Amino acid sequence: MDSGFVDCHCHISAQEFEEDLEDVIQRTKEAGVKTLVAVTEGVGEFERVLQLQERYPDLVAPCFGVHPLQVDGGLEQRSVKPQIGLDFTPWCAPSQQDKDDQLDVFIKQLSIAQELQLPVNVHSRSAAKVTISTMRKQGISRALLHNFAGKPSVALEGVKAGYLFSFPPAVCRNQQRDKLIQQIPLEHICLETDSPALGLEKHVRNEPRNITLCCQHIADLKGVSPETVKVVTAENAYRLFPKVSRR
C-alpha cells in the first residue's frame, strides 16, 4: 500500500482556505497526501475542524490545542492566560510574567494529554530548551515539536526522550536549519506544511500539497531518496498518532 504523505501540522481550518477549499483539497490528494493533522490555535476553531473531518473523513484528523499567543480584545497578541506550547520571542513574551503564564497553560494542556493518553503537537519558538525540559518533567513520552528551530544539542535531548520533529517547506530557504535536520535521525522526523504559513515563498499562501518540497529537501540533506523520506516520516507519524487510521 502506498504510504502517502502525512502533513503533521496544518491549519486547514484557516480563513485563507475558505474560498477555494475544494480545490485545495483536490490538489492535496493529487500530491499524494493521505492525512492532514488539522491543528487549531483557539477554542473557536474546534467546531470548524470537526466539520471538516465530517466532510473529509478519509483525510482530516483533528488536533485540538490552544496557541500560546492569543488575540485579547483588540488586535494585539498576548500570552495566553487560562496551541499548546511556548513562544518566548521578546515581542510576544516581554516579561517573565508572560512566560510564566504560558508555562502554566502549557503544563495544564500536557496534563490533559496525559490524562487522555494522547500525543502532543507542540509550538516552540525561542523556548526550545524550556519546552523539552518541561515535557520531560511532566512525563510526556509522545510529542511532536513542529517547525523546530532550536539548537541541535537541545534537539538531541528531545531525541533521547523519544520526541519527533517536523519541518515545513520554509526550511528549503533557511540554510541555518540544514545542520539541525542533518543531526536529527530520520526516525525522529515528520513532515508538515503549517499551511497557510511557512511556504517556500514568504507572503505567498502555502498549501498541503507543498509537503513534497520539504520531503525533497530533507532527502537531499540526508542523502536518501524522497520515497524513503516519505515512507519513514509517514511511519513515524502513524506511530505518534495511533488514532489516525492508515487509509
Side-chain angles (χ1 to χ4, degrees):
M1 185 182 81
D2 177 18
S3 62
F5 291 104
V6 180
D7 187 343
C8 283
H9 197 101
C10 168
H11 297 268
I12 198 64
S13 59
Q15 286 183 333
E16 287 90 337
F17 291 129
E18 285 183 3
E19 286 189 15
D20 62 342
L21 182 62
E22 282 293 338
D23 293 336
V24 171
I25 294 295
Q26 184 62 34
R27 289 191 289 269
T28 296
K29 291 179 177 178
E30 288 172 357
V33 178
K34 289 291 191 291
T35 302
L36 288 180
V37 178
V39 297
T40 60
E41 294 197 341
V43 178
E45 283 183 88
F46 290 7
E47 186 61 35
R48 170 74 172 156
V49 168
L50 288 172
Q51 289 170 355
L52 290 173
Q53 184 197 28
E54 195 171 314
R55 190 167 162 189
Y56 308 105
D58 293 335
L59 181 68
V60 174
C63 184
F64 299 131
V66 180
H67 194 281
L69 300 175
Q70 298 289 301
V71 176
D72 184 17
L75 295 175
E76 186 181 353
Q77 285 189 319
R78 306 188 183 182
S79 293
V80 63
K81 299 293 180 189
Q83 181 181 40
I84 183 166
L86 302 172
D87 194 320
F88 286 177
T89 44
W91 53 91
C92 295
S95 71
Q96 186 59 47
Q97 186 61 54
D98 286 311
K99 294 178 182 178
D100 291 343
D101 288 341
Q102 287 190 28
L103 202 52
D104 286 345
V105 177
F106 184 39
I107 290 171
K108 284 176 185 173
Q109 293 189 80
L110 294 178
S111 298
I112 293 169
Q114 288 281 68
E115 188 179 331
L116 299 177
Q117 296 184 314
L118 292 172
V120 290
N121 197 332
V122 179
H123 171 101
S124 165
R125 195 170 173 211
S126 297
K129 197 168 184 178
V130 177
T131 300
I132 289 174
S133 65
T134 300
M135 291 196 298
R136 294 187 77 171
K137 283 177 192 169
Q138 297 299 314
I140 297 295
S141 58
R142 289 190 297 141
L144 176 74
L145 289 119
H146 105 93
N147 188 32
F148 189 78
K151 294 179 181 176
S153 59
V154 176
L156 293 176
E157 285 299 308
V159 168
K160 282 184 199 170
Y163 302 155
L164 301 178
F165 301 81
S166 60
F167 301 96
V171 296
C172 302
R173 55 178 164 83
N174 185 345
Q175 291 184 325
Q176 291 179 330
R177 212 83 70 91
D178 290 355
K179 184 180 177 184
L180 171 68
I181 293 170
Q182 285 169 332
Q183 292 199 34
I184 298 175
L186 188 56
E187 290 71 28
H188 286 265
I189 290 177
C190 287
L191 302 179
E192 65 159 297
T193 60
D194 201 23
S195 49
L198 298 184
L200 189 59
E201 299 176 69
K202 288 183 178 180
H203 312 303
V204 174
R205 186 184 72 171
N206 187 18
E207 292 186 17
R209 65 170 171 170
N210 292 330
I211 201 163
T212 56
L213 301 175
C214 41
C215 178
Q216 180 67 59
H217 188 68
I218 290 169
D220 291 344
L221 291 175
K222 294 287 188 188
V224 298
S225 70
E227 181 66 21
T228 296
V229 173
K230 178 173 78 168
V231 170
V232 174
T233 56
E235 285 296 318
N236 295 343
Y238 289 125
R239 191 173 71 247
L240 177 68
F241 301 116
K243 290 181 182 290
V244 175
S245 61
R246 300 176 186 231
R247 317 186 212 308

